[in-house]
Structures are given as C-alpha cells and as structure tokens.
C-alpha cells in the first residue's frame, strides 16, 4: 500500500509540473466556453446557450484531461522503459492503475471547477447543491475516461496510441452532445450508451431545474466499473507478456 501512495504522489506532482497539460486540461476548455458562450444568446434544445456550453465544456475539459493525457503519457512511459522499472518493484498489479486514476482526478477537478466558476461570473445562477452535484457527477464520469486512456495506452502499439485516443476523444465529445444536440435517430441512440452523453444529459437536467435521469447514473456507473476492470486486465496482460 505504501508503494501505491508513493507512486500516486509522484504522479500528481508530475501532472502539476506539466504546464502544457494544465493549459489544455484547465484553461483551454474555459477559453472555449468564454468564446462560444460568452456573447451567445438564444437556446439549444430549450436550454440557454450559456448554460449548455458551460456544462459541455466542463465535461469536454474533464474528458480530455482524463483520456488524452493518460493514453499519451503511458505510451511515452512504455517507450522510456519506466513501466518495466515499476514491474521490478513490489507495487501490486492494480497499484499503477489506481495511481493514474488518482493523479488524473486531481487535474480533472480543477478543469471542471474553473469552467463552473467562470460560468457563475458570466451570469449562470444555480443553487449550491446543484453546483456541487454537477461537479461530482462530471468528476466521477472522468474516472471512466481515465481508465479508458490507460487501456488504450497499454493495449495498442505505441505509435497508434495518440491517433486512437484522439479519435476516441472526439467521438465521445460529438456523440455525447458536447458540441451540439443529437436530436433523435441512430446517432442519438448510440450516444445514450456513452458516459459523455449520460453525464451531459444528467447535469443539463439538473442545471435547468429538472430531476436527473436515473438511467444516466446507471450508464455512468457501468462505464466507470467496466473501464477500470478492463484497464486492470490490460495492465496485467502486458505484465505477463514482459515476463
């Protein structure tokens, strides 16, 4: 257990020392929100544009911080031989996955909070409980993206990781309705099965004063559990290959 905590602290320090990661994870989605929702008027699907893109960009930032950073970082660590060094230690098999999820959580939380703070300053008024609930739901959803990034980083050849992670990133964003509503049809049906769609739909309902959809919470929970299990499996499989 001490090894897991030590690695977790190291991962967190590495993340916060990386200015590029902090910019694209925290500042970039905030800037997008300000540009898109700052002066926009009207509604999207019956939701004020500012409210819609505040939620969407908070989720977009969390998605990118969790998925892209982990996939690319793991690919680099495999190239540098860092993973092989860890496998020579007493670190338990799931310790690496736990450390990655914990360090990513420390970045995704600011990515969400900063967008929400800016949204509040720009005139989005919500009850404190709704702000908190929206933050927690998006944050928990980011765990699925983190685990998915870990799985991609281990499951694919190193030169394919960035491309696949990028495609996954934009597919999750588009089918999650983070740029525009999907309406009805095949794309919407596919989107409803994704954690990005479920988180956006649930939080958007709460932001507009409606009750959250319990089905969305089930989808999020299933994705979080399934992706963490899958990431652990891929890591263990990679460890056996190297033996």
């Amino acid at each position: 257990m001490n090894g897991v905590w030590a690695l977790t602290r190291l991962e967190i320090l590495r993340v916060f020392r990386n200015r590029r990661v902090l910019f694209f994870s925290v500042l970039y989605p905030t800037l997008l929100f300000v540009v898109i929702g700052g002066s926009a008027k009207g509604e999207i699907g019956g939701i004020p544009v500012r409210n819609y893109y505040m939620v969407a960009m908070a989720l977009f930032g969390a998605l990118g911080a969790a998925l892209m950073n982990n996939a690319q970082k793991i690919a680099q660590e495999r190239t540098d031989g860092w993973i092989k060094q860890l496998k020579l230690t007493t670190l338990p098999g799931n310790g690496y996955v736990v450390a990655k999820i914990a360090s990513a959580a420390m970045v995704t939380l600011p990515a969400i909070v900063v967008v929400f703070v800016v949204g509040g300053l720009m005139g989005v008024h919500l009850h404190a409980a709704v702000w908190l609930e929206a933050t927690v739901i998006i944050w928990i959803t980011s765990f699925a993206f983190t685990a998915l990034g870990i799985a991609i980083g281990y499951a694919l050849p190193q030169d394919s990781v960035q491309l696949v992670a990028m495609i996954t990133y934009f597919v999750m964003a588009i089918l999650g309705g983070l740029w525009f509503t999907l309406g009805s049809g095949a794309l919407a049906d596919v989107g409803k099965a994704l954690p990005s769609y479920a988180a956006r739909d649930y939080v958007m309902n709460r932001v507009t004063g409606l009750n959250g959809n319990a089905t969305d919470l089930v989808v999020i929970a299933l994705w979080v559990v399934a992706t963490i299990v899958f990431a652990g499996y891929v890591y263990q499989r990679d460890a056996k290959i190297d033996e």
Side-chain angles (χ1 to χ4, degrees):
M1 182 60 70
N2 289 336
V4 176
W5 286 116
L7 181 59
T8 300
R9 288 195 298 271
L10 175 62
E11 289 291 337
I12 292 173
L13 288 174
R14 289 175 65 191
V15 167
F16 280 100
R17 287 173 179 169
N18 191 326
R19 295 181 181 178
R20 178 177 177 275
V21 169
L22 292 178
F23 174 79
F24 283 102
S25 300
V26 180
L27 296 181
Y28 181 60
T30 304
L31 291 174
L32 285 177
F33 166 57
V34 171
V35 171
I36 298 173
S39 59
K41 297 181 180 180
E43 297 182 342
I44 298 179
I47 302 169
V49 172
R50 187 168 298 170
N51 294 29
Y52 186 97
Y53 280 110
M54 181 189 72
V55 173
M57 290 303 102
L59 187 54
F60 183 71
L63 194 163
L67 175 62
M68 294 297 298
N69 292 338
N70 275 285
Q72 294 179 24
K73 187 187 300 181
I74 289 172
Q76 185 61 48
E77 289 175 351
R78 290 172 66 192
T79 301
D80 295 341
W82 172 242
I83 307 299
K84 290 184 178 181
Q85 292 296 319
L86 287 178
K87 291 172 183 176
L88 297 175
T89 69
T90 58
L91 185 72
N94 62 351
Y96 184 81
V97 175
V98 170
K100 286 294 185 184
I101 292 176
S103 63
M106 294 300 100
V107 178
T108 54
L109 187 57
I112 300 164
V113 171
V114 170
V115 173
F116 281 176
V117 168
V118 172
L121 294 174
M122 291 172 59
V124 178
H125 301 292
L126 303 172
H127 291 295
V130 176
W131 283 117
L132 178 61
E133 184 180 9
T135 301
V136 170
I137 292 298
I138 296 177
W139 191 47
I140 291 176
T141 304
S142 73
F143 297 172
F145 298 132
T146 300
L148 188 59
I150 294 171
I152 291 173
Y154 274 112
L156 299 174
Q158 294 162 3
D159 56 356
S160 302
V161 168
Q162 184 172 359
L163 176 61
V164 173
M166 184 67 73
I167 292 173
T168 303
Y169 183 27
F170 282 103
V171 167
M172 284 284 186
I174 292 172
L175 294 185
L178 305 189
W179 293 107
F180 48 80
T181 56
L182 299 178
S184 59
L187 286 180
D189 292 337
V190 173
K192 290 176 182 178
L194 300 179
S196 49
Y197 184 102
R200 182 196 59 79
D201 185 62
Y202 185 91
V203 173
M204 208 71 77
N205 283 333
R206 299 297 294 125
V207 167
T208 55
L210 302 176
N211 292 325
N213 188 341
T215 302
D216 291 330
L217 297 181
V218 173
V219 171
I220 292 169
L222 289 176
W223 269 89
V224 169
V225 173
T227 51
I228 289 176
V229 170
F230 182 58
Y233 164 76
V234 174
Y235 177 82
Q236 295 285 5
R237 186 195 65 176
D238 187 72
K240 290 180 180 179
I241 291 175
D242 289 340
E243 291 178 354

